[in-house]
Amino acid sequence: MPNFSRIDELTESYIAKGYFPSAVVSVFNEKETLYRAAYGENVMPDGSVMKTTVDTAFDMASCTKIATSTQILML
């Protein structure tokens, strides 16, 4: 099994720097999920704090614009 500790280090360092409050990371190949981890916490609208789990849903907002614009430029 590969060592994914570098992913933990990078993700936790970006949370510590304040780039984002939480993250869920999945590494997979065509057959299986090799690694899955959750990091950080989220503040809910009522002010409560919830620890992130691998099942936490995130609002992806306009993230598809990055992929779409990249594909258009590649054309």
Side-chain angles (χ1 to χ4, degrees), residues 31-67:
K31 296 179 184 176
E32 63 185 328
T33 300
L34 303 171
Y35 182 72
R36 197 166 188 201
Y39 311 86
E41 300 173 331
N42 294 297
V43 177
M44 300 295 107
D46 67 0
S48 64
V49 177
M50 180 178 272
K51 185 163 176 50
T52 304
T53 70
V54 294
D55 296 318
T56 298
F58 292 89
D59 179 6
M60 294 302 291
S62 297
C63 290
T64 57
K65 291 178 185 174
I66 296 168

